Amino acid sequence: MTDQEKRDIADRLSNGSRRVTFESALRLVEMNPDEAVRLIRDQEEREKKRRERKRALRELHSARVTWFS
């Protein structure tokens, strides 16, 4: 894995995180790149589920508004 690939993975891992800095993410990538990639997949899955919950709540709200109008 090139240095640029490591930096890209570290950037994805730390992007938007309140807990993980770029430097700590880069250290993780250097020590265990497979774990870093797994963590990115986990982050993406959580974000996908958050978006799905938000969409479902909007649909419920819309249905409630329609039902009680």
Side-chain angles (χ1 to χ4, degrees), residues 1-10 22 26 29-30:
M1 181 179 296
T2 68
D3 283 342
Q4 186 57 47
E5 289 170 325
K6 289 177 183 177
R7 293 179 69 77
D8 289 343
I9 291 171
F22 175 80
L26 187 56
V29 172
E30 290 172 347

Side-chain angles (χ1 to χ4, degrees), residues 38-59:
R38 185 190 67 76
L39 289 170
I40 289 170
R41 279 195 306 264
D42 289 350
Q43 278 181 337
E44 291 169 347
E45 185 63 28
R46 281 191 305 274
E47 178 60 22
K48 179 182 173 186
K49 287 180 180 181
R50 186 194 65 75
R51 285 190 312 267
E52 289 171 355
R53 283 191 308 271
K54 191 173 181 178
R55 179 191 51 77
L57 285 171
R58 278 194 314 267
E59 289 175 4

